[in-house]
Amino acid sequence: MAGDWTGWSDLPWEKLKSKIEQTFASLDSSEPDEGLTEVLLQRMTVSLRIRSRDELHEEASGTLDLSRLAKRRSANSFAAICETVARSLMIAAKRHDSSAVESLLRSYGKHGTKLLELLADAGENAVVPRKTLRSSLGVDNESQFSHLLRDFQKARLIYREQPQGSREVLVGLDVEGQEVVQRKMMQPDWILILVTYCETFGIGSNASEIAGKLLRCGFPTKHGAVEIGKAIVLGRERLVQTFASSKASSEFDLIDIQREYRSPDYIYKQVKPNSSMSIQSKRRSSTSRIQELSVY
């Protein structure tokens, strides 16, 4: 039986399930039209990106019901597809909801991330006119922008409101969106890498390796990453020069400094077995040297 399946995949799950059951009730043959299979697969694709864990469980359970119904009608091909979809939904439901959010952000590329940045920049609990967001994002396709907002709202990344008596739609950060901003934008991965390099003076890495690592972790510009790599290496070289030229350098082992800063390689090693300094004094001395270096 051929049919018009337009808009079916966007229906609320219970309504979609009911319509599929009604379709089976009116089938002239065992297998439904291929369009119904497309509806189910399209629905799964969207659900894997934006549904919550509870919604995924609900759809997985309902899809298994449809599989049993298909088997009773000898629609074995459709039943097998339903079982595959249900299995995929159940696996996805076992993941944390944030995994679905990450997948959604990736699917919209730079536009999705930029949208959250614009809303975050507007201030806490602020709302931004829809037309302002579209202009700032540079999205010419109205349909694409509408889908972005719809999917983000379903994933609780944003919310939309329309003040009474106004034709203007306002957009703000919802609960999930605020968490993403805090987790990914205020504390991106490259910040953690940068902190580690600063703590260890980039020991074991040259400037280009440091820059490359920062860029792979999302650092915004190549020029900035290169300059930071150079600065860290320069600081390390000054540290070595400071210790090498100081009186203290003949009295303690820089292995202690290396160990304190958790680096895999030694920046400098000069062991003096007859040192009269205690380990605690050595560490106090190394700490003061590092503090002195911070003024450069």
Side-chain angles (χ1 to χ4, degrees):
M1 182 189 88
D4 181 10
W5 315 107
T6 305
W8 277 42
S9 62
D10 295 327
L11 292 172
W13 171 247
E14 284 300 325
K15 189 170 183 179
L16 173 59
K17 182 185 174 187
S18 176
K19 289 179 75 71
I20 293 176
E21 290 170 342
Q22 292 170 17
T23 299
F24 265 97
S26 60
L27 278 180
D28 296 328
S29 59
S30 58
E31 293 288 349
D33 183 80
E34 289 183 359
L36 191 57
T37 299
E38 288 296 319
V39 167
L40 200 60
L41 293 175
Q42 186 177 353
R43 173 75 180 205
M44 179 191 71
T45 301
V46 174
S47 294
L48 290 175
R49 290 193 293 115
I50 68 173
R51 307 292 181 216
S52 69
R53 187 164 40 198
D54 290 341
E55 289 171 330
L56 289 170
H57 275 301
E58 178 186 8
E59 293 193 15
S61 177
T63 306
L64 284 176
D65 290 341
L66 293 176
S67 175
R68 287 188 281 269
L69 172 62
K71 285 180 178 179
R72 288 198 297 270
R73 296 297 302 266
S74 299
N76 295 324
S77 295
F78 188 75
I81 290 171
C82 287
E83 289 178 357
T84 300
V85 168
R87 200 157 44 238
S88 299
L89 293 172
M90 283 189 288
I91 291 172
K94 293 178 181 178
R95 303 177 305 171
H96 192 274
D97 286 346
S98 62
S99 299
V101 170
E102 294 294 335
S103 176
L104 179 61
L105 287 172
R106 286 194 299 272
S107 70
Y108 279 102
K110 63 180 182 180
H111 286 145
T113 302
K114 183 65 175 177
L115 173 62
L116 297 184
E117 289 177 349
L118 289 170
L119 293 173
D121 289 342
E124 188 175 359
N125 299 321
V127 290
V128 178
R130 182 185 187 278
K131 61 182 180 182
T132 301
L133 290 173
R134 181 182 172 187
S135 175
S136 299
L137 289 174
V139 180
D140 297 326
N141 189 313
E142 170 60 28
S143 176
Q144 180 187 1
F145 187 57
S146 295
H147 277 83
L148 187 156
L149 294 182
R150 182 198 64 188
D151 289 350
F152 272 42
Q153 184 169 2
K154 286 182 178 179
R156 299 190 299 277
L157 289 166
I158 65 168
Y159 66 88
R160 289 180 284 181
E161 62 182 24
Q162 188 170 8
Q164 189 173 5
S166 173
R167 298 179 60 183
E168 188 171 56
V169 175
L170 303 176
V171 183
L173 279 178
D174 208 343
V175 177
E176 288 289 342
Q178 292 172 5
E179 289 185 5
V180 169
V181 167
Q182 289 296 323
R183 185 175 69 250
K184 297 295 289 184
M185 296 174 191
M186 300 304 182
Q187 292 185 335
D189 292 342
W190 63 263
I191 287 183
L192 301 178
I193 297 299
L194 179 57
V195 168
T196 301
Y197 275 132
C198 288
E199 287 181 343
T200 64
F201 298 98
I203 300 167
S205 301
N206 59 37
S208 62
E209 290 171 339
I210 294 172
K213 180 69 172 179
L214 289 171
L215 289 170
R216 288 193 296 275
C217 292
F219 193 83
T221 67
K222 181 178 180 179
H223 175 74
V226 169
E227 291 302 309
I228 286 176
K230 291 178 181 177
I232 290 174
V233 170
L234 178 60
R236 182 175 71 214
E237 291 172 351
R238 285 177 171 167
L239 175 67
V240 173
Q241 292 169 5
T242 300
F243 281 119
S245 61
S246 69
K247 181 180 178 181
S249 67
S250 64
E251 298 174 327
F252 64 84
D253 181 0
L254 292 189
I255 292 176
D256 287 332
I257 302 173
Q258 133 71 33
R259 204 174 276 137
E260 183 176 344
Y261 283 87
R262 303 182 303 280
S263 174
D265 300 300
Y266 302 138
I267 44 173
Y268 183 72
K269 182 177 179 181
Q270 184 173 345
V271 179
K272 294 294 182 181
N274 297 324
S275 170
S276 60
M277 296 179 68
S278 67
I279 291 178
Q280 193 63 32
S281 297
K282 296 174 188 177
R283 288 184 175 163
R284 276 200 299 270
S285 178
S286 66
T287 301
S288 65
R289 291 291 183 185
I290 291 166
Q291 290 171 344
E292 289 170 11
L293 187 64
S294 66
V295 302
Y296 284 96

